[in-house]
């Protein structure tokens, strides 16, 4: 009886894998970045990212002291490396971020304060597969990673000088560019 259940489950798993492989091989797997992912796809992807980042570094605490100098340095690193994708205090996505699949969180509106610090640092260091989130381990120092992590953890309660600098940061969104609807000859446009 138990052997029959194990064989049945094994056959079912093989059929699902074969179906997914055949669907991808025949070109029927949805790969467009301009359509919303299915709920199953989105939930599985986000669950995987959260679980791996929390498993690998979720309990890690920021080794840097919470102070204006570290928050200000984190803001500088954020402006240079993160604001194009994750926005500034106005919460408006840049043109590039509008086309991302999976959409990047806009931290002024979506927040990052609830994530464990270690998980945030892990995402910055290692990036996230199949998204636009790059790995910064080779371009940022460990200190810079933790400074950005600190900034994101405290974005909703920044000390006055850092909050003023955050609110003065220029928007990543191009003015008026979100309303363009130009037709390019030879390209089929999808109705909105």
């Amino acid at each position: 009886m138990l052997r029959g259940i194990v064989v049945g489950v094994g056959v079912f798993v093989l059929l699902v894998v074969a179906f997914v492989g055949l669907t991808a091989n025949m070109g029927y797997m949805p790969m467009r970045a301009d359509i919303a992912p299915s709920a199953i796809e989105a939930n599985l992807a986000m669950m995987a990212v959260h679980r791996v980042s929390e498993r690998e570094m979720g309990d890690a605490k920021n080794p840097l002291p919470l102070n204006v100098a570290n928050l200000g340095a984190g803001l500088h690193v954020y402006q240079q490396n993160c604001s194009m994708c994750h926005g500034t205090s106005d919460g408006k996505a840049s043109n590039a971020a509008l086309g991302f699949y999976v959409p990047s969180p806009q931290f002024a509106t979506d927040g990052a304060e609830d994530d464990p610090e270690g998980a945030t640092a892990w995402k910055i260091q290692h990036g996230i597969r199949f998204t636009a989130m790059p790995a910064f381990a080779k371009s940022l120092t460990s200190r810079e990673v933790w400074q950005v992590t600190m900034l994101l953890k405290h974005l909703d309660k920044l000390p006055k000088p850092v909050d003023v600098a955050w609110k003065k940061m220029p928007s990543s969104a191009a003015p008026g560019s979100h309303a363009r609807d130009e037709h390019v000859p030879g390209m089929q446009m999808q109705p909105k």
Side-chain angles (χ1 to χ4, degrees):
M1 171 81 171
L2 182 60
R3 182 171 185 224
I5 292 172
V6 171
V7 170
V9 169
V11 168
F12 176 75
V13 169
L14 286 174
L15 286 174
V16 169
V17 169
F19 174 76
V20 170
L22 185 62
T23 303
N25 191 39
M26 294 177 66
Y28 288 110
M29 187 72 65
M31 296 304 297
R32 291 176 44 176
D34 60 351
I35 57 174
S38 71
I40 293 172
E41 180 184 358
N43 287 330
L44 282 174
M46 289 294 88
M47 179 179 62
V49 167
H50 290 300
R51 295 296 184 265
V52 73
S53 64
E54 290 172 13
R55 179 178 51 79
E56 292 192 13
M57 273 185 73
D59 292 335
K61 300 294 180 212
N62 199 324
L64 303 177
L66 176 59
N67 58 39
V68 171
N70 280 323
L71 287 166
L75 182 62
H76 177 74
V77 173
Y78 180 90
Q79 183 175 11
Q80 299 299 311
N81 298 280
C82 313
S83 64
M84 177 64 173
C85 300
H86 295 289
T88 58
S89 65
D90 67 3
K92 295 178 182 175
S94 68
N95 287 346
L98 287 171
F100 285 160
Y101 180 90
V102 176
S104 60
Q106 300 301 298
F107 292 134
T109 54
D110 297 335
E113 301 87 7
D114 295 336
D115 291 346
E117 289 178 298
T120 299
W122 184 93
K123 292 171 192 172
I124 296 167
Q125 285 178 313
H126 302 290
I128 302 172
R129 281 187 189 184
F130 305 114
T131 72
M133 180 64 189
F136 283 99
K138 293 181 181 177
S139 57
L140 296 178
T141 66
S142 178
R143 181 176 193 81
E144 290 170 324
V145 168
W146 283 112
Q147 287 170 331
V148 172
T149 298
M150 181 183 294
L151 173 77
L152 295 175
K153 184 69 175 176
H154 299 280
L155 202 56
D156 61 341
K157 52 186 178 291
L158 293 171
K160 183 105 176 145
V162 182
D163 191 50
V164 168
W166 165 245
K167 290 182 176 148
K168 284 184 178 178
M169 188 183 293
S171 177
S172 301
S177 62
H178 298 171
R180 290 188 191 148
D181 189 19
E182 300 173 13
H183 176 71
V184 178
M187 184 167 193
Q188 184 180 10
M189 302 300 287
Q190 299 292 324
K192 288 185 178 182

